[in-house]
Amino acid sequence: MAQPVAEGRAFSVPVFLSDVPDLFATRRIPLDVALVSLSPPDRHGLCTLGTSIDAAKAATEHATIVLAEINEQLPRTYGATVVPFERVTAFVHTNRPLHEAHAAQIGAVENQIGEHIAGLVKDGSTLQMGIGAIPNAVLSRLGNKNDLGVHTEMFSDLLVPLIERGVVTNRYKNVHRGRTVTSFVSGSSKLFDFVHDNQLVEFHPCDRTNDTALNRKNPP
């Protein structure tokens, strides 16, 4: 990135991820073209953004041109994921597997850190996960907890067994109670299958999942 900036072909804006949708909406960062992946439209002509909403939702709402790959294998997801097909300027139709991100290897150091952090997690707490071996090490040690909630920017495969085994119930959350909330998922095809047509998993833009004022309303 440094070289394109130095050559005047790009610019860099330091910003919190949660601020990006508003920058698009107010056109302080005007968008000419949004490139997105969408699930096929349903009988109402509505597509979804599938596995990744983050700032893409705002991009589809405020870009002058929306170019889409409509992929038959992209999961259809719930929450603030809908993009009306009429918003699409042009598209290509594909039927290809999604890129899988395999879990980072958990080493001795990550295991020790994960054990310490898991010990601090109380029953009924709300989780905000990150990317990498340490968050995975924590998740792998939460199987003995009860009624955890999830309001996170992203989650990976290791959260799925916690939901399936009833460790994660979202019962005590104050925001989106009863729902696992995320902005995007990163993992294997099993994870993509899990979120497909799953009404208990809601995808919301990063200005909601990463809003610290909103996050503080859920149990720590």
Side-chain angles (χ1 to χ4, degrees):
M1 185 66 185
Q3 184 174 348
V5 170
E7 294 172 351
R9 297 185 291 108
F11 63 92
S12 178
V13 179
V15 64
F16 289 114
L17 180 61
S18 58
D19 291 334
V20 173
D22 185 64
L23 293 175
F24 292 162
T26 59
R27 297 195 66 79
R28 281 179 284 174
I29 296 181
L31 290 182
D32 297 315
V33 180
L35 301 172
V36 294
S37 293
L38 299 176
S39 64
D42 63 10
R43 62 189 180 91
H44 303 292
L46 303 176
C47 306
T48 78
L49 284 159
T51 59
S52 182
I53 309 305
D54 46 59
K57 175 65 172 173
T60 62
E61 292 172 338
H62 301 288
T64 303
I65 296 172
V66 177
L67 303 179
E69 175 195 18
I70 296 183
N71 186 353
E72 292 288 338
Q73 298 190 41
L74 189 69
R76 185 169 189 86
T77 52
Y78 288 87
T81 68
V82 169
V83 177
F85 182 69
E86 63 187 18
R87 276 291 296 146
V88 177
T89 309
F91 70 93
V92 293
H93 183 211
T94 65
N95 187 359
R96 64 182 182 89
L98 277 63
H99 173 76
E100 297 184 54
H102 298 289
Q105 186 173 359
I106 302 174
V109 173
E110 291 83 3
N111 271 320
Q112 188 171 11
I113 295 172
E115 186 172 347
H116 287 312
I117 296 174
L120 300 173
V121 177
K122 303 174 184 177
D123 290 346
S125 293
T126 303
L127 305 178
Q128 167 81 246
M129 279 84 68
I131 301 171
I134 291 176
N136 286 342
V138 176
L139 288 172
S140 69
R141 286 165 169 76
L142 297 179
N144 63 339
K145 306 294 181 179
N146 298 288
D147 293 320
L148 297 180
V150 175
H151 186 106
T152 184
E153 177 185 342
M154 67 83 66
F155 73 77
S156 58
D157 286 77
L158 288 181
L159 184 63
V160 174
L162 296 179
I163 298 174
E164 292 178 335
R165 290 159 51 190
V167 175
V168 171
T169 64
N170 299 292
R171 184 173 298 161
Y172 296 109
K173 288 170 58 179
N174 296 313
V175 180
H176 299 293
R177 181 170 295 175
R179 299 292 188 270
T180 292
V181 171
T182 187
S183 184
F184 70 94
V185 296
S186 177
S188 70
S189 58
K190 179 181 178 181
L191 175 60
F192 304 147
D193 290 342
F194 178 78
V195 300
H196 173 64
D197 201 29
N198 187 341
Q199 296 188 50
L200 293 181
V201 180
E202 290 190 0
F203 288 73
H204 289 274
C206 54
D207 56 352
R208 189 163 186 83
T209 59
N210 293 41
D211 183 345
T212 56
L214 195 65
N215 291 345
R216 287 196 298 270
K217 295 180 180 181
N218 284 319

